[in-house]
Every structure is written in structure tokens, then in C-alpha cells.
């Protein structure tokens, strides 16, 4: 069999596995001299040649270029992190807006508490939402006594800290007093102070998630606090209590 026939008999390499040769890259760039001007982001990936070849002289220019390339990569990573954070914040904002509109649609006080403890979990993408109040169960309205958790006096300040309105806890331990039967499911939680009226005891809005990183220190809390304020005013209005 001739050499030509032998070459023809060889199976062609799959198109997806073939790699460009250096000479093909050179030929392409020679034919498309404006390629790098159209794709300037590639300049940060290219390593310029040393001015001194294999000499023992240190090429500071090349070192500076490599340093700048590293900084560009870091800047790109920060940029992507910022975009991800902005998208997450926008998602939370949309969820809070939807939750507020649902709260405003409550037809009775009992319906309001039902919305908070059921619908809110879905809208805020968490697994459980509860309302807690310091005091005694027999002082709660009978219609909500079964769904509102009662806390010992001073619990809210001990958990949040005096004067603080929110506490985010990651990898939390069992908090059956706040989450009841769902406590074992909760891996991270947000606790928000509820100050409905001077005539009512301190309360808590508790949001629990099975995800450990759903709530954590350093996370923005402005929208969560806003949601708690809306719930405060809604409860105040339905019970016709003295204003805050």
C-alpha cells in the first residue's frame, strides 16, 4: 500500500478534539491584524516576551505586566461578586414587596397572623416563620393563641441585645421555644424585634431556613427590618392599640 493510500486510510480526528497549531494561530493573526483591538480583554491573558531572553538579568517590565494582569483578574472577580450581590438584593427586595402587599390584603387580625405564619415563609423563601411574644398565653387573643409562641420576660433583649432590632444566626442550635416542632429543621435564622405598641410586651418575628448560609453575620438587614415594621403597624391597626 502506498504512503498516500496509508494516509487516506487513517481515520480523521474528531473535530472537537483537534487543537490549533502555533503556525495556524500566527497565520490567523497575520490575516486579521485588528483582532486584538476587537478583543482587548485578551491582552490581560497574554504573557509578553522578556526583553532579555534567557539572560540572568531580571526583567522588571515583564514582572510589572504580570502583576497588572493579576490585579485585573482580582478586579474581575470583585466585579462578578458585586453583580451577584446586587442580584440577590434585588431578589430579596422583590420578595419583601410581595410580602408587604399580601400583609395589606388581610381581612381580619386572625387572617393577618395566618399570612405571617404561612404565606410569608413561601414569599421569603424560608422554611418556617413564627411570631413570639413575651408574657403569658392566657393574655393573647384566643384566635391566635395556638400559633403565637410565648417567651419568658426578657428573652428578646437577651437574644438580640438591648436596643438592637435584628439578630442573624448561622448554624444555630435547637430553638424550640421560637420555632416549636420545626426547630430541628432550622439551620440558620433571622430574629426581628416586634414593638407593636407601648401597651404590648416585646415580640419577635422569627424566620428559619434549613440552609446554613441563608442568614449570617454581615448580611444586609434593612429590608428584613422594614418587613418587621410593616407587621408591627398592621397588628397595631387591627387591634386598635396606642401608636408607637
Amino acid at each position: 500500500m502506498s504512503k498516500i493510500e496509508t494516509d487516506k486510510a487513517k481515520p480523521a480526528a474528531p473535530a472537537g478534539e483537534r487543537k490549533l497549531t502555533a503556525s495556524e494561530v500566527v497565520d490567523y493573526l497575520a490575516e486579521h491584524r485588528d483582532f486584538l483591538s476587537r478583543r482587548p480583554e485578551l491582552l490581560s491573558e497574554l504573557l509578553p516576551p522578556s526583553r532579555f531572553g534567557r539572560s540572568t538579568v531580571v526583567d522588571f517590565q515583564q514582572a510589572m505586566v504580570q502583576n497588572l494582569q493579576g490585579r485585573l483578574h482580582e478586579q474581575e472577580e470583585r466585579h462578578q461578586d458585586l453583580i451577584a450581590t446586587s442580584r440577590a438584593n434585588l431578589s430579596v427586595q422583590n420578595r419583601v414587596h410581595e410580602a408587604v402587599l399580601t400583609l395589606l390584603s388581610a381581612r381580619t387580625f386572625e387572617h393577618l397572623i395566618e399570612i405571617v405564619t404561612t404565606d410569608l415563609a413561601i414569599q421569603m423563601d424560608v422554611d418556617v416563620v413564627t411570631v413570639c411574644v413575651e408574657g403569658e398565653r392566657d393574655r393573647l387573643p384566643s384566635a391566635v393563641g395556638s400559633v403565637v409562641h410565648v417567651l419568658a420576660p426578657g428573652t428578646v433583649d437577651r437574644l438580640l441585645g438591648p436596643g438592637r432590632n435584628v439578630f442573624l444566626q448561622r448554624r444555630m442550635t435547637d430553638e424550640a421555644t421560637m420555632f416549636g416542632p420545626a426547630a430541628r429543621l432550622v439551620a440558620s435564622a433571622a430574629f426581628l424585634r416586634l414593638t407593636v405598641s407601648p401597651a404590648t410586651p416585646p415580640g419577635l418575628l422569627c424566620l428559619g431556613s434549613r440552609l446554613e448560609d441563608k442568614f449570617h453575620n454581615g448580611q444586609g438587614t434593612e429590608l428584613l427590618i422594614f418587613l418587621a415594621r410593616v407587621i408591627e403597624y398592621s397588628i397595631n391597626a387591627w387591634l386598635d392599640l396606642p401608636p408607637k
Side-chain angles (χ1 to χ4, degrees), residues 31-135:
E31 295 176 4
H32 303 82
R33 297 180 181 275
D34 62 340
F35 179 76
L36 290 178
S37 65
R38 291 185 285 107
R39 298 291 301 276
E41 72 277 5
L42 295 178
L43 292 173
S44 64
E45 305 289 340
L46 300 176
L47 182 64
S50 172
R51 292 177 297 163
F52 304 105
R54 296 183 179 180
S55 170
T56 57
V57 177
V58 177
D59 190 342
F60 286 102
Q61 175 176 291
Q62 186 180 45
M64 292 173 64
V65 170
Q66 289 176 321
N67 184 44
L68 288 173
Q69 288 176 335
R71 292 184 180 182
L72 282 174
H73 286 303
E74 292 177 0
Q75 189 69 25
E76 178 63 21
E77 289 178 358
R78 293 194 190 99
H79 180 65
Q80 294 301 325
D81 288 343
L82 180 61
I83 291 176
T85 301
S86 298
R87 287 175 176 169
N89 288 341
L90 181 60
S91 176
V92 174
Q93 178 177 298
N94 290 337
R95 289 181 180 279
V96 170
H97 288 171
E98 181 183 354
V100 169
L101 291 176
T102 305
L103 291 168
L104 295 177
S105 70
R107 298 182 298 276
T108 63
F109 174 68
E110 293 76 17
H111 185 207
L112 173 68
I113 299 301
E114 180 184 350
I115 289 173
V116 172
T117 55
T118 56
D119 297 3
L120 207 60
I122 298 173
Q123 292 172 331
M124 296 302 296
D125 191 28
V126 296
D127 294 287
V128 57
V129 177
T130 62
V131 175
C132 304
V133 178
E134 291 183 3

Side-chain angles (χ1 to χ4, degrees), residues 140-197:
L140 296 174
S142 58
V144 299
S146 61
V147 294
V148 174
H149 297 259
V150 176
L151 305 176
T155 301
V156 175
D157 276 345
R158 283 196 298 271
L159 179 64
L160 305 185
R164 294 184 57 190
N165 292 318
V166 61
F167 173 61
L168 304 181
Q169 187 170 6
R170 184 179 182 183
R171 297 178 182 174
M172 63 175 294
T173 55
D174 186 15
E175 289 287 357
T177 53
M178 281 79 165
F179 292 110
R184 295 184 180 276
L185 177 69
V186 177
S188 64
F191 301 99
L192 298 130
R193 185 187 297 270
L194 293 177
T195 306
V196 176
S197 165

